[in-house]
């Protein structure tokens, strides 16, 4: 089944404890992106990648890192999480090297930082 | 499901009626727009798109209108059904379609 998977789906952690949220797609998509979703603010783009080893900042990159060593994986790294990073996170992928046309979204990761 | 519908403007529509969801965008650099639907507990799902050189595009039961002069998008859903109940977001793409800026969303409630 063609899909975007994220792990974990739910995570409660404490301030300062490094964590990684994994994202994987099995559709051979070029473009991948991370978003966070907060009540009243909609979705905001954190980082995106148009291809392997190519990443760039979205609108809210502070406090996050990403890597794109393989086409299928795009992990989101929080080196030192803080409570303001408590949010619902979505990974998405798109066939071409941009978000043009359809992006496929993962199921989301609910992160709580205490 | 996730409580992403809180703090959102809500549109309540009777089943069978037409729905119109509006979106104002601020980024003048956006030259391509997409409407997404997000059901409770799920990620957003593509509905329809429109390029900035168009002012109207139709899909199955949905129509998107674009007014670049006033930076306004609307999504029209014909014969609204209970399965249309969800949060709807518009998104504008810029920077070679790499950067995506979402609107804050509208919750659509369909009354049976």
């Amino acid at each position: 089944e063609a899909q975007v998977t994220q792990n974990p789906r739910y995570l409660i952690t404490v301030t300062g404890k490094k964590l990684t949220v994994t994202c994987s797609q099995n559709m051979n998509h070029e473009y991948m992106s991370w978003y966070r979703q907060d009540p009243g603010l909609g979705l905001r783009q954190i980082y995106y990648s148009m291809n392997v080893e190519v990443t760039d900042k979205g609108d809210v990159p502070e406090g996050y890192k990403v890597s794109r060593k393989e086409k299928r994986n795009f992990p989101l790294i929080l080196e030192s999480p803080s409570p303001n990073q408590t949010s619902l996170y979505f990974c998405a992928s798109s066939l071409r090297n941009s978000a043009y046309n359809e992006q496929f979204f993962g199921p989301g990761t609910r992160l709580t930082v205490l | 499901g996730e409580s992403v519908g809180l703090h959102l403007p809500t549109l309540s529509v009777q089943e069978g009626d037409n729905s119109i969801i509006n979106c104002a965008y601020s980024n003048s650099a956006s030259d391509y727009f997409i409407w997404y639907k997000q059901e409770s507990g799920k990620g957003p799902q593509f509905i329809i798109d429109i390029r900035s050189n168009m002012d109207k595009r139709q899909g199955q039961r949905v129509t998107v209108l674009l007014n670049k002069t006033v930076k306004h998008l609307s999504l029209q859903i014909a014969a609204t059904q209970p399965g249309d109940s969800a949060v709807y977001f518009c998104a504008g793409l810029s920077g070679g379609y790499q950067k995506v800026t979402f609107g804050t969303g509208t919750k659509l409630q369909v009354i049976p």
Side-chain angles (χ1 to χ4, degrees):
Chain A
E1 181 191 353
Q3 59 183 347
V4 178
T5 56
Q6 295 178 227
N7 282 293
R9 293 289 314 280
Y10 301 90
L11 179 61
I12 300 174
T13 189
V14 295
T15 299
K17 186 177 181 183
K18 180 180 179 179
L19 67 93
T20 299
V21 184
T22 65
C23 173
S24 184
Q25 50 92 6
N26 61 1
M27 297 170 279
N28 201 36
H29 283 177
E30 301 282 339
Y31 179 93
M32 297 185 76
S33 185
W34 275 103
Y35 302 89
R36 60 177 289 173
Q37 185 172 29
D38 303 288
L41 296 175
L43 289 103
R44 293 178 292 168
Q45 191 174 37
I46 304 171
Y47 269 95
Y48 59 90
S49 169
M50 61 182 286
N51 214 325
V52 175
E53 301 292 3
V54 181
T55 63
D56 210 341
K57 297 177 181 178
D59 289 329
V60 289
E62 294 79 21
Y64 305 95
K65 285 174 59 177
V66 292
S67 69
R68 188 93 183 272
K69 292 184 168 54
E70 318 164 86
K71 199 173 193 179
R72 63 184 294 129
N73 296 322
F74 192 43
L76 180 70
I77 303 154
L78 285 72
E79 295 271 2
S80 184
S82 62
N84 65 11
Q85 292 179 297
T86 292
S87 188
L88 178 60
Y89 290 88
F90 287 101
C91 179
S93 72
S94 182
L95 179 62
R96 303 184 191 187
N97 61 355
S98 73
Y100 188 86
N101 209 317
E102 186 165 1
Q103 278 192 93
F104 292 85
F105 282 79
T109 294
R110 168 63 73 182
L111 173 64
T112 302
V113 183
L114 302 175
Chain B
E2 302 297 345
S3 57
V4 296
L6 294 178
H7 315 299
L8 289 174
T10 300
L11 175 67
S12 295
V13 175
Q14 204 74 36
E15 181 179 356
D17 287 351
N18 297 335
S19 304
I20 300 176
I21 300 170
N22 296 304
C23 175
Y25 65 92
S26 57
N27 186 355
S28 301
S30 294
D31 54 5
Y32 173 71
F33 301 90
I34 302 175
W35 278 99
Y36 285 94
K37 172 186 180 182
Q38 186 177 26
E39 295 174 312
S40 183
K42 296 183 179 179
Q45 188 177 11
F46 175 96
I47 302 174
I48 190 168
D49 58 356
I50 187 167
R51 294 180 64 110
S52 60
N53 60 354
M54 304 169 69
D55 52 22
K56 180 179 180 179
R57 187 153 192 237
Q58 287 185 289
Q60 190 174 12
R61 273 201 315 119
V62 294
T63 301
V64 55
L65 299 178
L66 174 62
N67 185 331
K68 293 182 290 296
T69 304
V70 295
K71 296 182 183 175
H72 184 267
L73 275 166
S74 68
L75 177 71
Q76 301 178 0
I77 304 174
T80 312
Q81 302 168 359
D84 295 326
S85 292
V87 177
Y88 289 82
F89 295 96
C90 68
L93 273 62
S94 58
Y97 308 128
Q98 302 278 334
K99 297 200 125 183
V100 185
T101 303
F102 281 85
T104 52
T106 296
K107 186 175 183 179
L108 176 65
Q109 285 183 332
V110 181
I111 305 163

